[in-house]
Amino acid sequence: MSSGPGAASAPAPDPHDSPPASDAPASDAPAARPARKSSMFSSLKVRNYRLFFMGQVVSNIGTWMQRIAQDWLVLSLTGSSAAVGITTALQFLPMLLFGLYGGVLVDRLRKRPALLVTQSSMALTAIALAVLTLTGHVQVWHVYVAAFAVGLATVVDNPARQSFVSELVGPGQLQNAVSLNSANFQSARLVGPAVAGILITGVGTGYAFLFNGLSFIAPLTGLLLMRARELHVVERAPRAKGQLREGVRYVTGRPELIWPIVLVGFVGTFAFNFPVYLSAFADDVFHAGAGAYSMFNTLMAVGSVAGALLAARRGTARLRLLIAAALVFGTLEIVAATTPTLWMFALLMVPLGLFGMTVNVTTNTSIQMSTDPAMRGRVMALYMMVFLGGSPVGAPIVGWITDTYGARVGLAAGGAVAALAAAVIGLILARVGNLRLSIGWHGGHPRVRFVPRGHQEELARAA
């Protein structure tokens, strides 16, 4: 098994974009660069990826419907934002506990059969919850168990799906495919919450769970129809001792991997707990009910889709873009927490979605394209463990803050943590990359950027 720097999947950075004297990537340098710039939807020309994409369209709508229905059901049964936070925590707790082991399994297994198993198990869980709800026997502990069961399947499903994309399209289309996956998921967010809101107010939450269970037929069919001979073969890791430690050492020894993961850990733990924040704003602050909760999620999805499509057009995934997007995202959360009216809060969901998705896609793409294919399952598992697994820690905390001090304080605190983490990690990456801040004028406008040390002095002498 190779444990090199991932040259097969991450072409060398352009020397004009990164300081040649430093082995560590700079925050001003591209974290990864695809072989060529592609059109926005170029990955859809690949038949296997097209089947995968279409299956996910249907399944993602069901997933978003269940998310809204699950949060609202728990809030209806308990009247507590902390209970919503506990549900979120239980869903992501398995990723925190077993995420790295799931990554080791994914590196050993064939991705398509693994996905057939995990997707089927999540379908059965959703149908079981639908039956309990529709028959009137559902209790909050049933929802907790279902959330934990989905989390267990996610331990393998998430890194397998993330890694499988490279087998579908190859390294040249990876950036585009990752961005389109995000656009797919967030586009479903436009439909799922709206339909869920109608079903909840019209016929009840049980039908949202039922639709989600049946929606898994689409991705399962797509997986079965794929042509194995057209997949890009990736070396599977043989069973061996120390693979978990090897994956951790691989990540911690590369600043271009470890620091984006640390940043996403802070953002995911404290700033991305929207089930807690938005349900509390809809119910306690604006007293507008499930319709407003669905509207907030839908407007955030509009911004998220825009962010994902913009990412699909970009030819690079730059760490400086990640830092800037995280800083703006945290600041916007603080601003949203202070808005006095429902419509102002709702409008801010669009830019929040855009910058939140920019953080997500930029991190995901840069990590995948900077990782050796044989290590990708473990690296993506660590990334998802930190990003999603942080919720078991953060959700009860922000739920308690929201219940005790109010929704506004809870959201502002989450945004402050994200902004502070972005600023600190940005400075760390600048120091690791041997950069310094450059302030000047370009085209008659002020320009602030990081440049290699010594570059400022050269510019001053030239002037």
Side-chain angles (χ1 to χ4, degrees), residues 81-82 85-86 88-90 273 276 390-402:
S81 295
I86 291 171
T88 303
L90 286 171
N273 275 292
V276 177
S391 292
V393 177
I397 294 173
V398 301
W400 175 80
I401 293 173
T402 299

Side-chain angles (χ1 to χ4, degrees), residues 169-187:
V169 301
Q173 296 278 10
L174 185 58
Q175 158 106 7
N176 182 261
V178 170
S179 300
L180 289 182
N181 280 353
S182 298
N184 184 337
F185 186 70
Q186 297 302 327
S187 296

Side-chain angles (χ1 to χ4, degrees), residues 306-365:
L309 292 177
L310 287 173
R313 292 182 61 89
R314 283 193 293 268
T316 57
R318 296 178 181 273
L319 293 181
R320 67 179 181 184
L321 176 63
L322 170 62
I323 298 299
L327 186 60
V328 174
F329 176 75
T331 303
L332 282 171
E333 282 201 342
I334 297 173
V335 173
T338 64
T339 54
T341 62
L342 185 149
W343 69 265
M344 290 178 64
F345 182 83
L347 287 177
L348 280 172
M349 294 300 101
V350 177
L352 267 174
L354 190 151
F355 285 100
M357 181 51 55
T358 301
V359 171
N360 193 350
V361 172
T362 304
T363 308
N364 191 317
T365 305

Side-chain angles (χ1 to χ4, degrees), residues 155-181:
V155 167
V156 174
D157 184 80
N158 226 312
R161 277 190 297 108
Q162 300 285 345
S163 304
F164 191 49
V165 173
S166 65
E167 296 187 24
L168 293 171
V169 301
Q173 296 278 10
L174 185 58
Q175 158 106 7
N176 182 261
V178 170
S179 300
L180 289 182
N181 280 353

Side-chain angles (χ1 to χ4, degrees), residues 360-400:
N360 193 350
V361 172
T362 304
T363 308
N364 191 317
T365 305
S366 65
I367 289 174
Q368 287 211 52
M369 297 188 73
S370 300
T371 302
D372 189 296
M375 300 289 294
R376 191 168 284 142
R378 277 164 284 182
V379 173
M380 293 309 297
L382 180 60
Y383 160 64
M384 298 309 299
M385 184 187 77
V386 172
F387 182 48
L388 299 180
S391 292
V393 177
I397 294 173
V398 301
W400 175 80

Side-chain angles (χ1 to χ4, degrees), residues 393-417:
V393 177
I397 294 173
V398 301
W400 175 80
I401 293 173
T402 299
D403 281 342
T404 305
Y405 300 102
R408 296 188 185 278
V409 174
L411 182 59
V417 170

Side-chain angles (χ1 to χ4, degrees), residues 18-314:
S18 61
S22 176
D23 294 331
S27 61
D28 196 39
R33 186 182 296 276
R36 67 180 188 276
K37 189 173 182 178
S38 58
S39 63
M40 185 178 289
F41 302 102
S42 59
S43 298
L44 293 176
K45 296 176 183 178
V46 180
R47 179 183 181 275
N48 282 345
Y49 178 73
R50 192 162 60 246
L51 288 169
F52 179 83
F53 185 89
M54 293 170 64
Q56 292 299 309
V57 167
V58 180
S59 181
N60 286 337
I61 290 174
T63 297
W64 276 111
M65 290 176 65
Q66 174 145 334
R67 283 192 178 188
I68 300 300
Q70 176 179 281
D71 296 340
W72 202 257
L73 176 61
V74 171
L75 195 63
S76 300
L77 291 172
T78 65
S80 169
S81 295
V84 177
I86 291 171
T87 307
T88 303
L90 286 171
Q91 186 160 334
F92 297 123
L93 180 62
M95 181 64 72
L96 181 64
L97 297 177
F98 312 116
L100 286 176
Y101 295 99
V104 171
L105 284 175
V106 167
D107 279 337
R108 294 175 181 172
L109 299 173
R110 289 187 297 155
K111 308 300 186 295
R112 186 162 60 146
L115 287 171
L116 286 170
V117 173
T118 57
Q119 297 275 294
S120 298
S121 65
M122 287 190 282
L124 292 175
T125 301
I127 291 173
L129 191 56
V131 171
L132 286 170
T133 307
L134 291 172
T135 57
H137 294 95
V138 69
Q139 299 178 38
V140 68
W141 71 267
H142 293 143
V143 186
Y144 289 165
V145 170
F148 188 77
V150 170
L152 284 175
T154 303
V155 167
V156 174
D157 184 80
N158 226 312
R161 277 190 297 108
Q162 300 285 345
S163 304
F164 191 49
V165 173
S166 65
E167 296 187 24
L168 293 171
V169 301
Q173 296 278 10
L174 185 58
Q175 158 106 7
N176 182 261
V178 170
S179 300
L180 289 182
N181 280 353
S182 298
N184 184 337
F185 186 70
Q186 297 302 327
S187 296
R189 192 175 180 178
L190 293 171
V191 180
V195 177
I198 294 172
L199 288 178
I200 291 170
T201 56
V203 294
T205 56
Y207 287 96
F209 300 136
L210 180 62
F211 182 94
N212 182 45
L214 297 177
S215 73
F216 283 96
I217 294 173
L220 290 171
T221 302
L223 289 167
L224 292 171
L225 291 176
M226 289 178 185
R227 296 170 181 164
R229 66 181 182 275
E230 295 179 7
L231 294 173
H232 294 256
V233 178
V234 173
E235 177 189 2
R236 282 188 286 156
R239 182 183 294 272
K241 292 183 178 179
Q243 289 179 316
L244 189 63
R245 292 191 300 272
E246 182 184 16
V248 174
R249 285 197 304 268
Y250 182 87
V251 171
T252 55
R254 289 165 172 78
E256 73 272 25
L257 298 178
I258 185 62
W259 288 114
I261 289 176
V262 171
L263 174 57
V264 163
F266 280 104
V267 174
T269 300
F270 297 102
F272 262 71
N273 275 292
F274 289 111
V276 177
Y277 296 138
L278 299 188
S279 61
F281 267 85
D283 195 46
D284 299 330
V285 177
F286 299 120
H287 310 288
Y293 182 46
S294 296
M295 179 183 67
F296 295 156
N297 280 277
T298 300
L299 289 172
M300 184 172 289
V302 172
S304 298
V305 171
L309 292 177
L310 287 173
R313 292 182 61 89
R314 283 193 293 268

